[in-house]
Amino acid sequence: MIRTLNSNISVDCVVFGFDFEQLYVLLVERQYHDPVTGKEIFNDLTLMGNHIYNNEDLGEAAERILNELTGLSDIYLQQFGAFGNPLRLSKPNDQLWLAASQRDPKNMIVTVGYFSLLNNQDVTLQWKGRNVSWYPVNEVGELAFDHKVILDAALTALRRSLMDEPIGFELLPSKFTLTQLQKLYEAVFGTELDKRNFRKRIAKTKYLIPLDEKQTGVAHKPARLYMFSREVYEKTKRELWDFNI
Amino acid sequence: MIRTLNSNISVDCVVFGFDFEQLYVLLVERQYHDPVTGKEIFNDLTLMGNHIYNNEDLGEAAERILNELTGLSDIYLQQFGAFGNPLRLSKPNDQLWLAASQRDPKNMIVTVGYFSLLNNQDVTLQWKGRNVSWYPVNEVGELAFDHKVILDAALTALRRSLMDEPIGFELLPSKFTLTQLQKLYEAVFGTELDKRNFRKRIAKTKYLIPLDEKQTGVAHKPARLYMFSREVYEKTKRELWDFNI
DNA sequence: AAAGCTTAGTGTATAAATAACACAAAGAGA
DNA sequence: TCTCTTTGTGTTATTTATACACTAAGCTTT
């Protein structure tokens, strides 16, 4: 059975990363050269996206893109919106690009956005032979297509989700310090938090497990390491839920 | 210029209503009769949805559906999700229905969900000559296609939005009493609230304007009427925002 | 070996928000 | 005029949020 791509529907992935200082997003270079002269016409940045296959679920398509990108398959993913503005692909550069990649530039494409949280900074990133790199979210300027709009929506959705549930751990290695966790919140929300109050607040949660292990290789008092327990989180969430009904 | 429908993309609308007691949702009857014998094969319920036109924005398509339904054009709308499970239209009844309406049942359709809040209980509802009526949200059972999944997602999104911003007013007439507002929150969240504490909390907001007008035609002490001021809300929201930065 | 540097880790007091709770007043209807 | 129903209001206790500073640990430098 042949899988055919659906020419009207795509999925775009906004991949966030964190280096204990700033929030980053993965972007791909889009280079276009004049087919005759070979001269570079433009060189800008896009999100990673692709059409979905017919008979493929939207979430599966997003997983597929992330797998192509990282080789990993257990990455946190969350849908945050659908984008269907008829002019979303109409900028001249975008029209050139679509034509060059054998797609009908007049074709309407509705795209569904997923954001994903990547904690593995060491993974090798490659996508369709194009350059992929991390960019600080705060410094991202205009992007190809409507991808800046999509990125902004992803960031809003990330903030909102982070207030509701402890998904921030997906941006950290499995063992992390409380300061690293605090810096994550500070980076995502663009605020400063009080260390003692932050620790008091998270001390109330049961799913943050202190380990008998400390940081190594730091030139100062090493901090204790913690891990996030998804099982405890799911359980305490249910307990709270039961109680609230 | 001919507008063509896009056979792969649709929009479904979840229309909520409120009668000061319960939260309701609008559903359409879907009757299918055997083309030969004329005997009724099934009679169930769906949301209102339709394919989008090529060159039409997703939000516009949702507005169009609501306008067909109510004749109104200023209804509150919010996108809450995209649904693309390849099996979402695969139940036998759904396949029969698609074939009968000249659509290819094997065709994949990704649908984008919008919920809308309708405060006008007096509007005449008609849609494609089919019966449309209000059903208490709590009593809705299985629906056609994956529409129960979509309805549940809409309700979750409504609750979440209602915690973030005062969209509840969209479900009330322009003049309303505080008790009616309270009952709205109670209906949506399925909880009981303390009258005095509720009033204290909303007294803090500036966008709830008391009128020099009272309820009429009630067999008890008439309550004062209030209205929601969108202008004040937008302004105070910006003030808070400015302050927080 | 000692001094210096940097980040970790901890408690208390004050202010603000939330939660629990009861009764007099207004108008319609009998 | 009496009854019924819903409105509208304040205080206290509890919980939660905020502001704030110093010692401890380990590595680095001298």
Side-chain angles (χ1 to χ4, degrees), chain B residues 179 195-196 199-200 220 224:
Chain B
T179 301
K195 182 163 55 155
R196 281 185 281 194
R199 288 158 113 97
K200 243 181 296 175
H220 55 76
R224 182 164 205 169

Side-chain angles (χ1 to χ4, degrees), chain A residues 122-176:
Chain A
D122 302 326
V123 77
T124 23
L125 298 164
Q126 51 181 359
W127 197 60
K128 298 185 171 182
R130 289 158 63 190
N131 291 329
V132 186
S133 10
W134 293 106
Y135 294 82
V137 167
N138 296 326
E139 298 169 17
V140 174
E142 205 42 49
L143 297 176
F145 308 115
D146 59 346
H147 286 188
K148 185 58 159 63
V149 171
I150 296 176
L151 170 58
D152 290 343
L155 188 57
T156 301
L158 170 62
R159 289 190 179 126
R160 200 176 191 186
S161 292
L162 208 51
M163 290 194 277
D164 281 4
E165 30 178 10
I167 58 169
F169 301 100
E170 304 287 349
L171 281 166
L172 295 171
S174 62
K175 298 174 183 180
F176 52 87

Side-chain angles (χ1 to χ4, degrees), chain B:
Chain B
M1 175 176 168
I2 296 169
R3 290 185 109 188
T4 53
L5 286 172
N6 187 303
S7 60
N8 293 123
I9 305 166
S10 69
V11 159
D12 281 295
C13 291
V14 180
V15 183
F16 290 113
F18 179 62
D19 69 348
F20 306 138
E21 291 293 333
Q22 282 184 88
L23 186 67
Y24 291 83
V25 62
L26 272 187
L27 298 172
V28 191
E29 275 186 34
R30 181 179 75 160
Q31 293 177 315
Y32 182 79
H33 299 271
D34 186 296
V36 180
T37 65
K39 213 179 92 187
E40 179 177 289
I41 308 285
F42 59 81
N43 182 352
D44 54 10
L45 297 166
T46 75
L47 298 170
M48 287 79 58
N50 215 329
H51 289 271
I52 69 172
Y53 285 104
N54 289 307
N55 270 313
E56 184 181 39
D57 187 59
L58 292 164
E60 277 174 30
E63 280 173 31
R64 176 169 54 81
I65 290 169
L66 284 171
N67 183 260
E68 284 167 15
L69 180 77
T70 63
L72 305 174
S73 55
D74 55 348
I75 298 176
Y76 181 88
L77 265 175
Q78 186 178 313
Q79 191 195 102
F80 63 88
F83 301 83
N85 187 320
L87 300 176
R88 58 179 291 270
L89 311 175
S90 65
K91 287 184 284 188
N93 286 352
D94 299 335
Q95 291 281 301
L96 272 176
W97 178 264
L98 289 171
S101 50
Q102 275 91 48
R103 289 182 283 180
D104 178 0
K106 293 197 300 296
N107 210 7
M108 175 168 192
I109 306 176
V110 168
T111 198
V112 177
Y114 282 79
F115 72 78
S116 67
L117 304 179
L118 191 55
N119 55 35
N120 193 336
Q121 296 288 325
D122 302 327
V123 78
T124 22
L125 298 164
Q126 51 181 359
W127 199 59
K128 297 184 171 183
R130 289 157 64 188
N131 291 328
V132 185
S133 9
W134 292 106
Y135 294 82
V137 167
N138 296 327
E139 297 169 17
V140 173
E142 205 42 48
L143 298 177
F145 307 114
D146 59 346
H147 285 188
K148 185 58 159 62
V149 171
I150 295 176
L151 171 57
D152 290 343
L155 188 56
T156 301
L158 170 62
R159 289 189 179 126
R160 202 176 188 187
S161 293
L162 208 51
M163 291 194 277
D164 281 4
E165 29 176 10
I167 58 170
F169 301 99
E170 304 287 348
L171 281 167
L172 294 171
S174 62
K175 299 174 182 181
F176 52 86
T177 71
L178 296 185
T179 301
Q180 288 167 347
L181 182 61
Q182 180 178 341
K183 293 216 168 194
L184 166 59
Y185 281 86
E186 291 177 336
V188 174
F189 290 105
T191 55
E192 299 228 323
L193 300 172
D194 179 87
K195 182 163 55 155
R196 281 185 281 194
N197 293 337
F198 178 78
R199 288 158 113 97
K200 243 181 296 175
R201 182 194 298 208
I202 58 167
K204 277 186 274 182
T205 72
K206 304 216 169 125
Y207 46 77
L208 196 60
I209 315 291
L211 303 174
D212 289 328
E213 215 174 323
K214 289 178 176 179
Q215 258 182 329
T216 54
V218 287
H220 55 76
K221 175 172 177 177
R224 182 164 205 169
L225 294 175
Y226 288 75
M227 60 175 286
F228 170 66
S229 164
R230 178 163 299 283
E231 301 96 288
V232 176
Y233 170 60
E234 298 294 344
K235 208 169 64 185
T236 54
K237 195 172 58 169
R238 212 173 310 126
E239 276 169 21
L240 278 173
W241 178 252
D242 285 349
F243 182 73
N244 281 336
I245 278 184

Side-chain angles (χ1 to χ4, degrees), chain A:
Chain A
M1 175 175 167
I2 298 170
R3 288 185 109 189
T4 54
L5 286 171
N6 187 303
S7 60
N8 293 122
I9 306 166
S10 70
V11 159
D12 281 296
C13 291
V14 180
V15 183
F16 290 112
F18 179 62
D19 69 348
F20 306 138
E21 291 292 336
Q22 282 185 88
L23 186 66
Y24 291 84
V25 62
L26 272 187
L27 298 172
V28 192
E29 273 187 35
R30 181 180 76 160
Q31 292 177 315
Y32 181 78
H33 298 273
D34 186 296
V36 179
T37 67
K39 211 179 94 187
E40 179 178 288
I41 308 285
F42 59 81
N43 182 352
D44 54 10
L45 296 165
T46 75
L47 298 171
M48 287 77 59
N50 216 329
H51 288 270
I52 69 172
Y53 285 104
N54 289 305
N55 270 312
E56 184 180 39
D57 187 58
L58 292 165
E60 277 174 29
E63 280 173 31
R64 176 168 54 81
I65 289 168
L66 284 172
N67 183 261
E68 284 167 16
L69 180 75
T70 62
L72 304 173
S73 56
D74 54 348
I75 298 176
Y76 182 87
L77 264 175
Q78 186 178 313
Q79 191 195 102
F80 63 87
F83 301 83
N85 187 320
L87 300 176
R88 58 180 291 270
L89 311 177
S90 64
K91 287 185 286 188
N93 286 352
D94 300 336
Q95 291 280 301
L96 272 177
W97 179 264
L98 290 170
S101 50
Q102 276 91 47
R103 288 182 283 180
D104 178 359
K106 294 197 299 293
N107 210 9
M108 176 169 191
I109 306 176
V110 168
T111 197
V112 177
Y114 282 80
F115 73 78
S116 66
L117 305 179
L118 192 55
N119 55 34
N120 193 336
Q121 297 286 324
D122 302 326
V123 77
T124 23
L125 298 164
Q126 51 181 359
W127 197 60
K128 298 185 171 182
R130 289 158 63 190
N131 291 329
V132 186
S133 10
W134 293 106
Y135 294 82
V137 167
N138 296 326
E139 298 169 17
V140 174
E142 205 42 49
L143 297 176
F145 308 115
D146 59 346
H147 286 188
K148 185 58 159 63
V149 171
I150 296 176
L151 170 58
D152 290 343
L155 188 57
T156 301
L158 170 62
R159 289 190 179 126
R160 200 176 191 186
S161 292
L162 208 51
M163 290 194 277
D164 281 4
E165 30 178 10
I167 58 169
F169 301 100
E170 304 287 349
L171 281 166
L172 295 171
S174 62
K175 298 174 183 180
F176 52 87
T177 72
L178 296 185
T179 300
Q180 289 167 348
L181 182 61
Q182 180 179 340
K183 292 217 168 194
L184 165 60
Y185 281 86
E186 291 177 335
V188 174
F189 291 104
T191 55
E192 298 227 324
L193 299 172
D194 179 89
K195 182 161 58 155
R196 282 185 280 196
N197 292 337
F198 178 78
R199 288 158 113 97
K200 245 182 293 176
R201 183 195 296 206
I202 59 168
K204 278 186 271 183
T205 70
K206 305 213 169 127
Y207 47 77
L208 195 59
I209 315 291
L211 303 175
D212 289 329
E213 213 174 325
K214 289 178 177 177
Q215 257 182 331
T216 56
V218 286
H220 54 75
K221 174 171 175 178
R224 182 165 206 169
L225 294 176
Y226 288 75
M227 59 175 288
F228 170 65
S229 165
R230 179 163 299 285
E231 301 95 288
V232 175
Y233 170 60
E234 297 294 343
K235 207 168 65 187
T236 53
K237 195 172 59 169
R238 211 174 308 124
E239 277 169 21
L240 279 172
W241 179 252
D242 286 350
F243 182 75
N244 281 336
I245 279 183

